[in-house]
Amino acid sequence: MTNEWGWQLPATDALFQDSPYEPLENPGENIAERLIMIAHLSFNTDVWSTRIDRYWEGLVERIEGACNTNSVTEFWQRLTDEMALVPLSAGELLHEKNLLCRPSILSYPVSDFEVLNPLRSYPRDIVDRTRMWNQYRKAAKVSKLKAA
């Protein structure tokens, strides 16, 4: 799978393979969705395990709170702090997160506003897409284990 903008983001491109949805076609929305998927992959079980029933709503609330900025980098820092995310350990995913936080330097540049706008306007939709992606991802893992 190659994204239509020519971005060299194979790790986050691969995340969409387990999604029931096609990747969002708007580049700013696409980056926003990738960042929320990465945020979920940084889930902190120490913080959220006792309140897992509030996790997805909490993620929406934290996104809304973190969007009061003009910079995707600052948004990510605020979201990381608010969600108490654990640092990414996968080098390729960390590299891609760093690129996505500075969308104007991508091979097909996108403004910070274009990424932050969908996160401000409809964070629940992006979180719900991530939630479904997570459910499909878990189901795929279970299927692989049963097949082995």
Side-chain angles (χ1 to χ4, degrees):
M1 170 185 224
T2 303
N3 64 65
E4 62 189 90
W5 303 284
W7 297 329
Q8 297 299 310
L9 303 170
T12 54
D13 283 345
L15 295 178
F16 289 107
Q17 292 176 359
D18 291 327
S19 180
Y21 308 115
E22 291 295 318
L24 294 168
E25 293 179 5
N26 174 287
E29 291 175 338
N30 189 281
I31 292 171
E33 184 172 30
R34 288 171 192 257
L35 286 171
I36 300 310
M37 290 170 140
I38 292 171
H40 176 69
L41 292 174
S42 303
F43 176 83
N44 188 334
T45 54
D46 292 338
V47 171
W48 288 98
S49 62
T50 59
R51 17 183 210 152
I52 194 69
D53 57 323
R54 283 266 311 125
Y55 170 72
W56 293 106
E57 186 61 32
L59 181 55
V60 171
E61 292 167 1
R62 286 357 182 257
I63 290 168
E64 290 171 335
C67 281
N68 190 20
T69 180
N70 293 321
S71 158
V72 177
T73 303
E74 189 173 340
F75 160 79
W76 181 262
Q77 185 61 52
R78 288 179 181 187
L79 184 64
T80 299
D81 293 345
E82 288 292 316
M83 291 295 292
L85 300 177
V86 294
L88 291 166
S89 58
E92 190 171 0
L93 203 54
L94 176 61
H95 170 68
E96 290 185 23
K97 185 275 302 174
N98 290 339
L99 292 174
L100 293 167
C101 282
R102 290 168 180 78
S104 64
I105 66 169
L106 293 170
S107 59
Y108 180 96
V110 178
S111 72
D112 285 53
F113 174 80
E114 291 174 279
V115 176
L116 293 169
N117 190 49
L119 293 168
R120 288 179 183 127
S121 301
Y122 39 92
R124 186 171 313 282
D125 179 59
I126 294 172
V127 168
D128 285 348
R129 288 176 59 92
T130 301
R131 189 175 190 178
M132 286 301 297
W133 160 76
N134 186 56
Q135 289 176 4
Y136 272 67
R137 196 170 141 258
K138 284 182 178 179
K141 283 182 183 178
V142 169
S143 292
K144 288 178 187 173
L145 288 174
K146 286 182 180 179

